[in-house]
Amino acid sequence: MKDLTLSQEYLICAVNEKGTLGAFSTEKQVCLVAAALLELRLAGCVALEKKTVTVTAPLPAEQAHLAPLYHYLTGGGKDRKLEKLLEDYHYSVTDTRLNDLLGAIGSSLAALDLARPVKAGLLGGKMGYLPTREAINGVVDLVRAELLEEGEITEDVAALVILLDKGKSLKPYFSAFEQKEMKEKIQAIGKTPTGKLVREMVEYVENLISIMATLVVVFS
């Protein structure tokens, strides 16, 4: 299977049987945005601070599926406040921005024959993307190879496990024992001098979820 990016791998494992993230799965939705932001960070396109996102470089062709989010970020001046970003993606009048991001990532998987577009939502008004068995097995096998066996752990896979954990998407693919093993390995890496980026990614995703929890109170 072709090498996939962080957001593509996350979407493959996070969607439900309808090919969507679910209307009430706030953590999954936040982690999709987080996956896209971390992918842009790993590609050198943005700098991530606790409260802001700053665009630092043009969007590479390999991240073309993140164009909806990248264009949103460049449309707001030099910096985007994280709170404003989450408001716009989760509490706007419509959910167009989130759907556009999911659609762009899903379409990129469909172009690789790793997902199938399906009608979803009320009256089929939305588009979902059902990943193929090959796609799911490929991502799950990748995680197992790096986090449940001896060997080097890449930043992308560490970030993927963090996102799937925070997005409550590990359970369908890994046993409770395997999840515990993975979390312990991530924590161990984060305590090493070379685990600085892993620690930053954990803190960043937790910060996004914390901001979102605050917004839920404000908008409820």
Side-chain angles (χ1 to χ4, degrees):
M1 188 175 76
K2 180 175 176 168
D3 289 342
L4 299 177
T5 71
L6 176 59
S7 64
Q8 290 171 328
E9 291 169 342
Y10 174 78
L11 189 66
I12 285 171
C13 292
V15 293
N16 58 24
E17 67 280 357
K18 297 179 181 178
T20 71
L21 298 176
F24 303 104
S25 299
T26 303
E27 292 91 351
K28 284 188 178 184
Q29 295 172 6
V30 171
C31 284
L32 177 68
V33 176
L37 288 171
L38 289 174
E39 183 178 325
L40 290 174
R41 159 68 178 81
L42 291 168
C45 298
V46 301
L48 303 178
E49 301 296 337
K50 191 168 184 179
K51 295 185 178 180
T52 60
V53 183
T54 304
V55 175
T56 56
L59 185 70
E62 293 81 0
Q63 273 68 44
H65 51 279
L66 300 183
L69 176 60
Y70 184 82
H71 292 155
Y72 166 84
L73 293 173
T74 56
K78 186 177 179 182
D79 298 329
R80 275 283 189 183
K81 298 291 185 184
L82 274 180
E83 186 172 326
K84 175 62 175 171
L85 184 153
L86 289 175
E87 282 182 20
D88 289 344
Y89 268 80
H90 297 280
Y91 289 106
S92 58
V93 176
T94 68
D95 50 5
T96 301
R97 289 189 179 92
L98 187 64
N99 288 338
D100 285 350
L101 178 60
L102 188 151
I105 299 170
S107 294
S108 71
L109 291 170
L112 296 171
D113 293 323
L114 294 175
R116 176 170 56 90
V118 291
K119 290 184 178 180
L122 281 174
L123 305 177
K126 292 184 180 181
M127 188 64 73
Y129 293 86
L130 286 173
T132 64
R133 179 56 56 186
E134 176 196 2
I136 294 171
N137 288 340
V139 176
V140 171
D141 288 347
L142 175 66
V143 172
R144 279 206 169 94
E146 290 201 19
L147 279 171
L148 296 175
E149 298 175 11
E150 294 300 324
E152 182 182 359
I153 300 172
T154 61
E155 294 166 344
D156 281 41
V157 170
L160 176 62
V161 172
I162 292 164
L163 291 162
L164 292 175
D165 178 35
K166 301 300 181 183
K168 302 179 180 178
S169 300
L170 282 175
K171 188 176 180 180
Y173 307 105
F174 302 98
S175 68
F177 176 79
E178 288 175 324
Q179 292 178 55
K180 182 173 180 290
E181 288 282 298
M182 288 188 286
K183 292 175 187 176
E184 288 177 353
K185 203 161 186 180
I186 291 289
Q187 289 172 355
I189 296 166
K191 294 176 182 177
T192 66
T194 56
K196 182 174 181 292
L197 184 58
V198 173
R199 290 196 303 274
E200 290 176 352
M201 288 188 292
V202 172
E203 291 169 1
Y204 194 78
V205 176
E206 289 177 342
N207 182 48
L208 283 177
I209 293 174
S210 175
I211 292 173
M212 197 63 195
T214 302
L215 292 175
V216 168
V217 174
V218 172
F219 284 90
S220 61

PDB file of all heavy atoms in Angstrom, residues 28-50:
ATOM      1  N   LYS A  28     -13.552  13.084  17.986  1.00  0.00           N
ATOM      2  CA  LYS A  28     -13.097  12.636  16.665  1.00  0.00           C
ATOM      3  C   LYS A  28     -12.946  13.814  15.709  1.00  0.00           C
ATOM      4  O   LYS A  28     -11.999  13.881  14.923  1.00  0.00           O
ATOM      5  CB  LYS A  28     -14.081  11.617  16.070  1.00  0.00           C
ATOM      6  CG  LYS A  28     -13.985  10.237  16.660  1.00  0.00           C
ATOM      7  CD  LYS A  28     -14.849   9.263  15.873  1.00  0.00           C
ATOM      8  CE  LYS A  28     -14.723   7.851  16.414  1.00  0.00           C
ATOM      9  NZ  LYS A  28     -15.496   6.878  15.598  1.00  0.00           N
ATOM     10  N   GLN A  29     -13.899  14.731  15.762  1.00  0.00           N
ATOM     11  CA  GLN A  29     -13.867  15.894  14.881  1.00  0.00           C
ATOM     12  C   GLN A  29     -12.691  16.806  15.214  1.00  0.00           C
ATOM     13  O   GLN A  29     -11.972  17.265  14.317  1.00  0.00           O
ATOM     14  CB  GLN A  29     -15.183  16.665  14.994  1.00  0.00           C
ATOM     15  CG  GLN A  29     -16.391  15.893  14.497  1.00  0.00           C
ATOM     16  CD  GLN A  29     -17.700  16.608  14.788  1.00  0.00           C
ATOM     17  OE1 GLN A  29     -17.707  17.738  15.275  1.00  0.00           O
ATOM     18  NE2 GLN A  29     -18.806  15.951  14.512  1.00  0.00           N
ATOM     19  N   VAL A  30     -12.488  17.057  16.506  1.00  0.00           N
ATOM     20  CA  VAL A  30     -11.363  17.893  16.929  1.00  0.00           C
ATOM     21  C   VAL A  30     -10.043  17.245  16.514  1.00  0.00           C
ATOM     22  O   VAL A  30      -9.122  17.912  16.042  1.00  0.00           O
ATOM     23  CB  VAL A  30     -11.390  18.129  18.452  1.00  0.00           C
ATOM     24  CG1 VAL A  30     -10.108  18.813  18.917  1.00  0.00           C
ATOM     25  CG2 VAL A  30     -12.590  18.980  18.833  1.00  0.00           C
ATOM     26  N   CYS A  31      -9.963  15.926  16.660  1.00  0.00           N
ATOM     27  CA  CYS A  31      -8.715  15.236  16.335  1.00  0.00           C
ATOM     28  C   CYS A  31      -8.468  15.182  14.825  1.00  0.00           C
ATOM     29  O   CYS A  31      -7.315  15.060  14.403  1.00  0.00           O
ATOM     30  CB  CYS A  31      -8.707  13.838  16.936  1.00  0.00           C
ATOM     31  SG  CYS A  31      -8.399  13.846  18.724  1.00  0.00           S
ATOM     32  N   LEU A  32      -9.519  15.275  14.007  1.00  0.00           N
ATOM     33  CA  LEU A  32      -9.301  15.384  12.558  1.00  0.00           C
ATOM     34  C   LEU A  32      -8.603  16.701  12.242  1.00  0.00           C
ATOM     35  O   LEU A  32      -7.636  16.740  11.475  1.00  0.00           O
ATOM     36  CB  LEU A  32     -10.619  15.298  11.796  1.00  0.00           C
ATOM     37  CG  LEU A  32     -10.465  15.479  10.276  1.00  0.00           C
ATOM     38  CD1 LEU A  32      -9.717  14.293   9.666  1.00  0.00           C
ATOM     39  CD2 LEU A  32     -11.830  15.652   9.596  1.00  0.00           C
ATOM     40  N   VAL A  33      -9.096  17.780  12.840  1.00  0.00           N
ATOM     41  CA  VAL A  33      -8.453  19.089  12.649  1.00  0.00           C
ATOM     42  C   VAL A  33      -7.032  19.057  13.206  1.00  0.00           C
ATOM     43  O   VAL A  33      -6.093  19.563  12.596  1.00  0.00           O
ATOM     44  CB  VAL A  33      -9.283  20.204  13.322  1.00  0.00           C
ATOM     45  CG1 VAL A  33      -8.566  21.552  13.207  1.00  0.00           C
ATOM     46  CG2 VAL A  33     -10.670  20.288  12.690  1.00  0.00           C
ATOM     47  N   ALA A  34      -6.870  18.426  14.374  1.00  0.00           N
ATOM     48  CA  ALA A  34      -5.538  18.307  14.981  1.00  0.00           C
ATOM     49  C   ALA A  34      -4.599  17.515  14.080  1.00  0.00           C
ATOM     50  O   ALA A  34      -3.423  17.859  13.932  1.00  0.00           O
ATOM     51  CB  ALA A  34      -5.637  17.641  16.355  1.00  0.00           C
ATOM     52  N   ALA A  35      -5.095  16.433  13.473  1.00  0.00           N
ATOM     53  CA  ALA A  35      -4.276  15.621  12.566  1.00  0.00           C
ATOM     54  C   ALA A  35      -3.793  16.464  11.389  1.00  0.00           C
ATOM     55  O   ALA A  35      -2.623  16.385  10.988  1.00  0.00           O
ATOM     56  CB  ALA A  35      -5.076  14.419  12.065  1.00  0.00           C
ATOM     57  N   ALA A  36      -4.702  17.275  10.847  1.00  0.00           N
ATOM     58  CA  ALA A  36      -4.330  18.130   9.722  1.00  0.00           C
ATOM     59  C   ALA A  36      -3.298  19.181  10.140  1.00  0.00           C
ATOM     60  O   ALA A  36      -2.328  19.433   9.418  1.00  0.00           O
ATOM     61  CB  ALA A  36      -5.579  18.806   9.154  1.00  0.00           C
ATOM     62  N   LEU A  37      -3.494  19.778  11.318  1.00  0.00           N
ATOM     63  CA  LEU A  37      -2.551  20.786  11.803  1.00  0.00           C
ATOM     64  C   LEU A  37      -1.179  20.176  12.087  1.00  0.00           C
ATOM     65  O   LEU A  37      -0.144  20.753  11.731  1.00  0.00           O
ATOM     66  CB  LEU A  37      -3.096  21.442  13.070  1.00  0.00           C
ATOM     67  CG  LEU A  37      -4.289  22.393  12.894  1.00  0.00           C
ATOM     68  CD1 LEU A  37      -4.855  22.790  14.250  1.00  0.00           C
ATOM     69  CD2 LEU A  37      -3.876  23.638  12.106  1.00  0.00           C
ATOM     70  N   LEU A  38      -1.161  18.995  12.720  1.00  0.00           N
ATOM     71  CA  LEU A  38       0.116  18.345  13.014  1.00  0.00           C
ATOM     72  C   LEU A  38       0.824  17.919  11.731  1.00  0.00           C
ATOM     73  O   LEU A  38       2.053  17.984  11.645  1.00  0.00           O
ATOM     74  CB  LEU A  38      -0.106  17.142  13.926  1.00  0.00           C
ATOM     75  CG  LEU A  38      -0.490  17.463  15.376  1.00  0.00           C
ATOM     76  CD1 LEU A  38      -0.836  16.188  16.134  1.00  0.00           C
ATOM     77  CD2 LEU A  38       0.634  18.202  16.091  1.00  0.00           C
ATOM     78  N   GLU A  39       0.046  17.485  10.750  1.00  0.00           N
ATOM     79  CA  GLU A  39       0.656  17.126   9.464  1.00  0.00           C
ATOM     80  C   GLU A  39       1.300  18.348   8.810  1.00  0.00           C
ATOM     81  O   GLU A  39       2.419  18.269   8.271  1.00  0.00           O
ATOM     82  CB  GLU A  39      -0.392  16.522   8.536  1.00  0.00           C
ATOM     83  CG  GLU A  39       0.190  16.052   7.204  1.00  0.00           C
ATOM     84  CD  GLU A  39      -0.850  15.396   6.300  1.00  0.00           C
ATOM     85  OE1 GLU A  39      -1.756  14.716   6.820  1.00  0.00           O
ATOM     86  OE2 GLU A  39      -0.741  15.574   5.085  1.00  0.00           O
ATOM     87  N   LEU A  40       0.611  19.471   8.849  1.00  0.00           N
ATOM     88  CA  LEU A  40       1.183  20.713   8.313  1.00  0.00           C
ATOM     89  C   LEU A  40       2.434  21.108   9.098  1.00  0.00           C
ATOM     90  O   LEU A  40       3.408  21.593   8.526  1.00  0.00           O
ATOM     91  CB  LEU A  40       0.143  21.839   8.368  1.00  0.00           C
ATOM     92  CG  LEU A  40      -1.047  21.720   7.407  1.00  0.00           C
ATOM     93  CD1 LEU A  40      -2.064  22.826   7.678  1.00  0.00           C
ATOM     94  CD2 LEU A  40      -0.578  21.791   5.946  1.00  0.00           C
ATOM     95  N   ARG A  41       2.391  20.884  10.409  1.00  0.00           N
ATOM     96  CA  ARG A  41       3.563  21.176  11.252  1.00  0.00           C
ATOM     97  C   ARG A  41       4.739  20.276  10.882  1.00  0.00           C
ATOM     98  O   ARG A  41       5.876  20.737  10.737  1.00  0.00           O
ATOM     99  CB  ARG A  41       3.177  20.982  12.724  1.00  0.00           C
ATOM    100  CG  ARG A  41       4.319  20.760  13.697  1.00  0.00           C
ATOM    101  CD  ARG A  41       5.198  21.991  13.886  1.00  0.00           C
ATOM    102  NE  ARG A  41       6.240  21.732  14.863  1.00  0.00           N
ATOM    103  CZ  ARG A  41       7.383  21.096  14.615  1.00  0.00           C
ATOM    104  NH1 ARG A  41       7.636  20.642  13.392  1.00  0.00           N
ATOM    105  NH2 ARG A  41       8.284  20.927  15.553  1.00  0.00           N
ATOM    106  N   LEU A  42       4.498  18.986  10.708  1.00  0.00           N
ATOM    107  CA  LEU A  42       5.557  18.047  10.358  1.00  0.00           C
ATOM    108  C   LEU A  42       6.112  18.332   8.962  1.00  0.00           C
ATOM    109  O   LEU A  42       7.273  18.032   8.679  1.00  0.00           O
ATOM    110  CB  LEU A  42       5.033  16.609  10.434  1.00  0.00           C
ATOM    111  CG  LEU A  42       4.713  16.102  11.856  1.00  0.00           C
ATOM    112  CD1 LEU A  42       3.935  14.793  11.794  1.00  0.00           C
ATOM    113  CD2 LEU A  42       5.988  15.935  12.668  1.00  0.00           C
ATOM    114  N   ALA A  43       5.282  18.917   8.092  1.00  0.00           N
ATOM    115  CA  ALA A  43       5.720  19.269   6.737  1.00  0.00           C
ATOM    116  C   ALA A  43       6.409  20.628   6.698  1.00  0.00           C
ATOM    117  O   ALA A  43       6.871  21.063   5.642  1.00  0.00           O
ATOM    118  CB  ALA A  43       4.525  19.260   5.785  1.00  0.00           C
ATOM    119  N   GLY A  44       6.462  21.316   7.844  1.00  0.00           N
ATOM    120  CA  GLY A  44       7.119  22.617   7.900  1.00  0.00           C
ATOM    121  C   GLY A  44       6.286  23.771   7.384  1.00  0.00           C
ATOM    122  O   GLY A  44       6.812  24.855   7.111  1.00  0.00           O
ATOM    123  N   CYS A  45       4.967  23.562   7.278  1.00  0.00           N
ATOM    124  CA  CYS A  45       4.082  24.599   6.722  1.00  0.00           C
ATOM    125  C   CYS A  45       3.574  25.590   7.764  1.00  0.00           C
ATOM    126  O   CYS A  45       3.237  26.725   7.426  1.00  0.00           O
ATOM    127  CB  CYS A  45       2.868  23.959   6.051  1.00  0.00           C
ATOM    128  SG  CYS A  45       3.270  22.910   4.680  1.00  0.00           S
ATOM    129  N   VAL A  46       3.463  25.128   9.006  1.00  0.00           N
ATOM    130  CA  VAL A  46       2.932  25.992  10.055  1.00  0.00           C
ATOM    131  C   VAL A  46       3.737  25.831  11.333  1.00  0.00           C
ATOM    132  O   VAL A  46       4.401  24.809  11.543  1.00  0.00           O
ATOM    133  CB  VAL A  46       1.441  25.697  10.355  1.00  0.00           C
ATOM    134  CG1 VAL A  46       0.569  25.868   9.119  1.00  0.00           C
ATOM    135  CG2 VAL A  46       1.272  24.306  10.959  1.00  0.00           C
ATOM    136  N   ALA A  47       3.670  26.845  12.172  1.00  0.00           N
ATOM    137  CA  ALA A  47       4.214  26.777  13.530  1.00  0.00           C
ATOM    138  C   ALA A  47       3.028  26.738  14.477  1.00  0.00           C
ATOM    139  O   ALA A  47       2.069  27.509  14.320  1.00  0.00           O
ATOM    140  CB  ALA A  47       5.091  27.988  13.818  1.00  0.00           C
ATOM    141  N   LEU A  48       3.068  25.825  15.440  1.00  0.00           N
ATOM    142  CA  LEU A  48       1.957  25.657  16.372  1.00  0.00           C
ATOM    143  C   LEU A  48       2.356  26.140  17.758  1.00  0.00           C
ATOM    144  O   LEU A  48       3.322  25.651  18.339  1.00  0.00           O
ATOM    145  CB  LEU A  48       1.541  24.186  16.440  1.00  0.00           C
ATOM    146  CG  LEU A  48       1.130  23.523  15.119  1.00  0.00           C
ATOM    147  CD1 LEU A  48       0.788  22.062  15.351  1.00  0.00           C
ATOM    148  CD2 LEU A  48      -0.049  24.256  14.490  1.00  0.00           C
ATOM    149  N   GLU A  49       1.615  27.094  18.254  1.00  0.00           N
ATOM    150  CA  GLU A  49       1.778  27.548  19.629  1.00  0.00           C
ATOM    151  C   GLU A  49       0.527  27.158  20.406  1.00  0.00           C
ATOM    152  O   GLU A  49      -0.446  26.666  19.838  1.00  0.00           O
ATOM    153  CB  GLU A  49       1.976  29.072  19.658  1.00  0.00           C
ATOM    154  CG  GLU A  49       3.186  29.563  18.868  1.00  0.00           C
ATOM    155  CD  GLU A  49       4.508  29.057  19.424  1.00  0.00           C
ATOM    156  OE1 GLU A  49       4.540  28.710  20.626  1.00  0.00           O
ATOM    157  OE2 GLU A  49       5.491  29.004  18.670  1.00  0.00           O
ATOM    158  N   LYS A  50       0.564  27.368  21.705  1.00  0.00           N
ATOM    159  CA  LYS A  50      -0.563  26.937  22.539  1.00  0.00           C
ATOM    160  C   LYS A  50      -1.861  27.626  22.148  1.00  0.00           C
ATOM    161  O   LYS A  50      -2.938  27.034  22.235  1.00  0.00           O
ATOM    162  CB  LYS A  50      -0.259  27.211  24.014  1.00  0.00           C
ATOM    163  CG  LYS A  50      -1.255  26.555  24.956  1.00  0.00           C
ATOM    164  CD  LYS A  50      -0.781  26.601  26.395  1.00  0.00           C
ATOM    165  CE  LYS A  50      -1.752  25.857  27.301  1.00  0.00           C
ATOM    166  NZ  LYS A  50      -1.316  25.861  28.721  1.00  0.00           N
TER     167      LYS A  50
END
